[in-house]
Amino acid sequence: MSMLEVEAINSFYGDSHVLFDISLEVAEHEVVALLGRNGAGKTTTLKTIAGVLSPRSGSIRLAGTPIHGLTSHLIARRGLQLVPEERRIFITLTVEENLRLAALNAAKPRPIEEIFDIFPRLRERRRATGGTLSGGEQQMLAIARALIRSPQLMLLDEPFEGLAPVIVEELVALCGRLAEAGSTIVIVEQDVRAALMLARRVYVLNNGHVAFEGTRDELLADPEITSRYLGIGLETEEP
Ligand code: ATP
């Protein structure tokens, strides 16, 4: 079953046309990466899917039901959770309070202990305030806040940004376990290597257009795409 079907969306910031006929499809239990250079339109695509920005044309379906035109709040209640780049956790509240607040108005909240089984580090830090967590722990909490709402689909915007490589490894492993347990995830990441450890299918955006769509192996076998749009492999082509 298709969990997400995005058909020919066009999005604008005021008069500025940013997304041009973007179409994507994500199957249930699939992890898909959205890659591309800075300004390619990745965050705008996630914001449009999550209803933060309304597409001017095109359609978006979540588990077969149209969601374009709904408010972000209603889309979240239908089971779509965006974990934005800026994480948006409450720094003065404890880990546990952050989680309980996220669960409060969820249609099907998961028991907090189940979340702590997935994130043992958060269980250890349950009484620590958000502001005292490390960057990696804050990112875990941001993902956990989405997960406690039993999302049908999670959109992760640059979850590994600004984190040390060893923490990125830990988070990649954690997201891998979520995927194995059946989560459906769209991940936007500048760290292409980390994103490709998780996603089997990839869309590459460029200037608001889909420049490539295919499997991870097809992408890695296409040096034209990886060097032109992702900046990978350029160094090996220089003498
Ligand atoms: P990045 O990795 O830099 O976040 P991105 O691929 O996520 O890149 P977007 O943030 O979606 O790219 O930006 C796409 C285009 O829209 C860029 O040209 C950007 O300058 C523009 N843009 C982004 N946010 C706004 C905004 N709030 N108002 C006007 N233009 C914007």
Side-chain angles (χ1 to χ4, degrees), residues 12-14 16-19 34-47 53 85 157-158 161 188-190 205-208:
F12 292 70
Y13 291 109
S16 171
H17 194 172
V18 174
L19 298 185
L34 220 54
L35 305 176
R37 292 185 186 276
N38 284 337
K42 306 179 297 295
T43 296
T44 306
T45 302
L46 294 192
K47 283 185 177 167
L53 195 65
E85 204 175 339
D157 196 355
E158 306 219 14
E161 203 203 3
V188 160
E189 218 358 281
Q190 289 291 340
L205 299 189
N206 183 53
N207 285 335

Side-chain angles (χ1 to χ4, degrees), residues 56 76 87 90 97 110 113 117 126 142 176 180 206 209 231 239:
R56 214 169 271 184
R87 293 174 194 152
F90 295 99
E97 287 165 345
R110 286 173 77 165
E113 292 306 323
D117 290 343
R126 67 196 294 167
E180 275 164 27
N206 183 53
H209 295 83

Side-chain angles (χ1 to χ4, degrees), residues 33-236:
L34 220 54
L35 305 176
R37 292 185 186 276
N38 284 337
K42 306 179 297 295
T43 296
T44 306
T45 302
L46 294 192
K47 283 185 177 167
T48 307
I49 294 168
V52 179
L53 195 65
S54 266
R56 214 169 271 184
S57 63
S59 69
I60 306 172
R61 289 170 180 269
L62 179 68
T65 307
I67 55 168
H68 50 275
L70 298 182
T71 62
S72 56
H73 177 73
L74 279 176
I75 293 174
R77 282 197 63 86
R78 300 245 172 132
L80 186 146
Q81 287 293 307
L82 169 66
V83 180
E85 204 175 339
E86 60 275 12
R87 293 174 194 152
R88 286 210 214 114
I89 59 166
F90 295 99
I91 56 171
T92 56
L93 299 184
T94 65
V95 165
E96 189 165 339
E97 287 165 345
N98 263 281
L99 290 169
R100 293 206 186 278
L101 202 60
L104 211 56
N105 62 352
K108 284 184 291 175
R110 286 173 77 165
I112 198 163
E113 292 306 323
E114 223 176 276
I115 298 299
F116 285 145
D117 290 343
I118 302 169
F119 300 89
R121 185 94 73 88
L122 294 182
R123 174 178 278 128
E124 286 167 26
R125 306 280 274 139
R126 67 196 294 167
R127 290 186 227 298
T129 53
T132 65
L133 302 180
S134 69
E137 288 167 347
Q138 288 192 354
Q139 188 59 64
M140 282 179 198
L141 180 55
I143 297 172
R145 278 174 52 87
L147 215 54
I148 201 165
R149 298 169 61 86
S150 313
Q152 300 200 72
L153 172 66
M154 272 201 295
L155 311 178
L156 305 182
D157 196 355
E158 306 219 14
F160 310 136
E161 203 203 3
L163 302 178
V166 54
I167 308 296
V168 171
E169 295 295 318
E170 197 179 322
L171 274 170
V172 165
L174 198 149
C175 291
R177 289 197 294 277
L178 294 181
E180 275 164 27
S183 288
T184 309
I185 300 173
V186 177
I187 179 170
V188 160
E189 218 358 281
Q190 289 291 340
D191 184 340
V192 173
R193 194 190 63 89
L196 294 185
M197 284 167 74
L198 291 167
R200 293 227 179 81
R201 250 174 13 90
V202 179
Y203 290 85
V204 176
L205 299 189
N206 183 53
N207 285 335
H209 295 83
V210 174
F212 170 89
E213 166 186 357
T215 64
R216 167 176 53 194
D217 294 342
E218 285 163 353
L219 174 73
L220 293 173
D222 194 334
E224 162 93 9
I225 297 288
T226 53
S227 67
R228 190 190 292 182
Y229 301 121
L230 303 178
I232 296 175
L234 286 174
E235 62 281 1
T236 58

